[in-house]
Amino acid sequence: MKKIYILYPKKIATIAPEIYGHFTEHIGGVIYGGIWVGKGSHIPNIKGFRKYIVEKLREIKAPVIRWPGGCFAETYDWRDGIGNNRPIRPNWWKNEDGKYETNEVGTHEFMDFCEAVGAKAYFAANLTSTTPMDIRNWMDYCLSPQGTTTLAMEREKNGHPQPFNIPYWGVGNENWGGGGNMTPEYYTNEYRKYSTVMKNTAPNVSLFMCGENGADYHWTNTLAQNLGSVHADGYSMHCYYGHLGNVINFTQKEWYDVLSQTVIMDEIINKNWNIICANNQEDKLKLVIDEWGCWHPAGSGPSKGAKLYEQQSTMRDAMTAALTLNVFNNNCEKIKMANIAQLVNNIHSLFLAEGENCITTPTYHVFNMYKEHQGGEAIELIITDNHSFENSISASASVKDGKTLITICNVSCSEDVKISLEGVGADIPQGAEGILLYNEDIRAYNTFESPDNIAPSSVSIDITKPITIPKAGILAIRF
Ligand code: AHR
């Protein structure tokens, strides 16, 4: 039996709610046919956005949504997405799926979505194919008080007198790749230029530097060394779990192959953070992991490949999400935000939609089970007898409003595990609520025909006795 000690006096930090953030890019079926169905649609909608998704996001307290990309952001002209007569342009991803960008969803519409969900907006600014002046103008349009500037008046004419609330701005996206193939030295200089103009335009928003790809520590080190006293509020990094094997009919080995990459996430977080601290930039460069998730070979989703990067989502994806969120909680003093990629019909999605059909994936349920970690005080844990990955459990705990939430994953896909809990510095009260996400079949997933094939269930927990977590089960206990 494994024992989890909850070390109540050892507080890690507050878990930023934004760690439970989302990402929507103009790619494949994420925006059009995903969140957006159009104002005249027979599909229930709120200002054109799919009501089902809006309501489900409210339920999980979605804190922040990143937009409009991704790579898409690096050829996006914000002017295309305001007013009437919107132009049709080549979408960044056109060469992959032949689709053009209609600009039906632009700044006003996306902000309607955030407002309906109750989430903050995180905009990614185009650093590759536009100028600091264009970004200055976008910020002016969005943020200037009513009636003050010509662009604020244009915003009012377009139906929004009051400034939008957009607290987070990314200064470029993947500028080591799709975002201009820059060297880290070149990017740092570009960042200095853009961020100076952006900060001057909107002193109160947070600006995030474009960080490294996976484990490119040279990029991190160069940025942290060369930033000097220039302002920054975060360091964005992307970490996808590899394109491995079959999405649904995977082997047991492939179960562990994907899951074990969450250990690398932990390593990347800690190495980057140490580099940032060694350069004394920890006050400015807290981590913003604004793209993460399992990126499988495409074609397994309901559209059978018609929607770019759409993939099916099994218990393996739910478990990977649960392990990752435990890693984030346990490192929350280093992390400002994280955004799973991407919300619907795409890489590691919480929803799959086609026409009027829309379902939640098992990963959605993980976000629901973990939601009370948002804003909680993370507490250190010790887990005994937990050395081999294949027989390990992963856990994180937090305290909010006097209640403890502990989320525990049984990594093994073949053996149930018995655990016991012990509070250090405070007793664990009796009377706990348990929610379990489990399916006998690790390859199970939800479909339009069986949307609740995988769904959480309540379990009764007696804290004074050993607790069994079934193989590949995810358990949330609150007391
Ligand atoms: O999420 C899909 C793409 O992956 C994003 O556009 C890009 O930032 C990353 O390479």
Side-chain angles (χ1 to χ4, degrees):
M1 186 166 67
K2 297 177 194 289
K3 190 156 189 170
I4 303 179
Y5 292 97
I6 306 175
L7 308 182
Y8 280 102
K10 293 209 153 190
K11 297 186 169 48
I12 304 171
T14 301
I15 300 171
E18 289 79 6
I19 287 177
Y20 288 78
H22 302 280
F23 173 35
T24 53
E25 179 173 10
H26 288 245
I27 181 176
V30 176
I31 304 286
Y32 304 112
I35 56 172
W36 177 257
V37 294
K39 288 184 179 160
S41 174
H42 68 281
I43 300 168
N45 66 84
I46 299 173
K47 293 189 178 173
F49 290 96
R50 201 183 278 277
K51 194 161 177 249
Y52 178 82
I53 292 186
V54 169
E55 286 173 351
K56 285 285 177 188
L57 286 176
R58 291 188 78 85
E59 191 179 330
I60 60 172
K61 302 184 180 175
V64 63
I65 310 171
R66 181 175 182 242
W67 178 83
C71 289
F72 175 84
E74 290 289 16
T75 53
Y76 183 60
D77 182 347
W78 67 273
R79 279 212 155 268
D80 290 348
I82 57 164
N84 299 321
N85 304 319
R86 300 193 186 176
I88 299 171
R89 306 276 189 213
N91 182 296
W92 169 274
W93 298 101
K94 179 185 74 64
N95 295 336
E96 257 74 31
D97 66 4
K99 288 189 187 150
Y100 289 83
E101 175 56 44
T102 61
N103 284 299
E104 223 181 313
V105 171
T107 299
H108 287 255
E109 289 77 20
F110 182 71
M111 292 308 296
D112 282 344
F113 181 55
C114 289
E115 196 185 312
V117 170
K120 293 181 193 163
Y122 167 19
F123 277 17
N126 177 350
L127 189 99
T128 303
S129 56
T130 189
T131 65
M133 185 59 100
D134 292 314
I135 304 307
R136 202 276 305 254
N137 289 344
W138 196 14
M139 294 181 114
D140 173 7
Y141 181 87
C142 292
L143 307 173
S144 290
Q146 181 179 9
T148 55
T149 67
T150 301
L151 285 172
M153 289 182 232
E154 189 177 347
R155 183 188 70 224
E156 182 165 3
K157 202 171 78 201
N158 287 335
H160 208 278
Q162 295 306 321
F164 293 118
N165 177 23
I166 307 163
Y168 306 114
W169 292 74
V171 187
N173 174 73
E174 296 197 347
N175 300 95
W176 38 263
N181 277 309
M182 299 176 191
T183 62
E185 292 81 3
Y186 185 85
Y187 172 75
T188 313
N189 284 338
E190 287 294 283
Y191 176 84
R192 285 166 165 263
K193 189 168 72 181
Y194 276 75
S195 65
T196 303
V197 173
M198 291 169 80
K199 194 70 195 162
N200 178 268
T201 309
N204 298 325
V205 303
S206 296
L207 302 180
F208 300 151
M209 285 192 98
C210 167
E212 43 90 69
N213 180 26
D216 179 359
Y217 302 117
H218 172 65
W219 181 278
T220 309
N221 200 32
T222 309
L223 262 58
Q225 262 177 17
N226 294 328
L227 182 62
S229 59
V230 171
H231 185 91
D233 301 286
Y235 180 76
S236 130
M237 53 174 258
H238 293 177
C239 184
Y240 285 106
Y241 305 128
H243 307 227
L244 291 164
N246 197 305
V247 185
I248 298 166
N249 293 315
F250 50 83
T251 62
Q252 286 205 353
K253 178 182 175 302
E254 287 165 346
W255 164 270
Y256 295 114
D257 282 347
V258 171
L259 264 49
S260 61
Q261 292 181 62
T262 59
V263 176
I264 300 170
M265 174 70 93
D266 191 65
E267 185 182 311
I268 290 174
I269 288 169
N270 280 286
K271 283 197 176 160
N272 274 318
W273 187 244
N274 277 305
I275 293 169
I276 287 163
C277 292
N279 286 285
N280 300 316
Q281 296 287 16
E282 63 271 28
D283 291 341
K284 296 197 280 183
L285 298 182
K286 263 187 140 181
L287 304 178
V288 175
I289 306 160
D290 51 16
E291 290 184 32
W292 69 271
C294 297
W295 193 333
H296 301 302
S300 59
S303 77
K304 300 280 171 270
K307 292 181 181 144
L308 188 65
Y309 299 146
E310 183 190 63
Q311 59 188 44
Q312 199 33 275
S313 194
T314 65
M315 266 312 289
R316 181 175 62 169
D317 300 287
M319 180 60 85
T320 312
L323 295 176
T324 303
L325 293 171
N326 281 343
V327 168
F328 291 166
N329 290 340
N330 289 329
N331 286 285
C332 64
E333 79 282 19
K334 305 159 195 140
I335 306 175
K336 185 163 209 154
M337 185 190 292
N339 311 72
I340 187 167
Q342 300 197 15
L343 188 65
V344 47
N345 296 338
N346 202 254
I347 299 170
H348 192 156
S349 294
L350 276 70
F351 302 92
L352 292 169
E354 178 68 66
E356 55 198 11
N357 290 319
C358 187
I359 53 167
T360 51
T361 67
T363 295
Y364 173 87
H365 297 307
V366 172
F367 274 75
N368 207 2
M369 290 162 67
Y370 277 56
K371 68 185 170 198
E372 294 305 333
H373 280 310
Q374 293 186 34
E377 202 65 30
I379 305 291
E380 270 188 41
L381 303 175
I382 293 176
I383 306 175
T384 63
D385 185 24
N386 206 34
H387 305 298
S388 112
F389 181 75
E390 299 194 1
N391 293 310
S392 66
I393 58 169
S394 143
S396 67
S398 66
V399 175
K400 188 166 77 176
D401 303 331
K403 284 197 162 188
T404 301
L405 171 64
I406 181 162
T407 44
I408 314 167
C409 309
N410 180 5
V411 168
S412 171
C413 62
S414 56
E415 305 286 333
D416 297 351
V417 66
K418 268 198 193 328
I419 60 148
S420 67
L421 298 177
E422 185 173 325
V424 177
D427 290 335
I428 297 179
Q430 289 180 23
E433 301 160 20
I435 310 272
L436 177 70
L437 191 66
Y438 170 72
N439 193 292
E440 174 69 29
D441 179 5
I442 55 170
R443 300 170 190 89
Y445 56 92
N446 292 337
T447 63
F448 295 142
E449 296 71 35
S450 299
D452 296 320
N453 201 17
I454 301 182
S457 53
S458 297
V459 285
S460 61
I461 302 279
D462 182 348
I463 291 287
T464 60
K465 301 211 173 94
I467 301 163
T468 301
I469 308 180
K471 62 178 186 175
I474 303 165
L475 179 64
I477 311 175
R478 200 145 182 255
F479 43 83

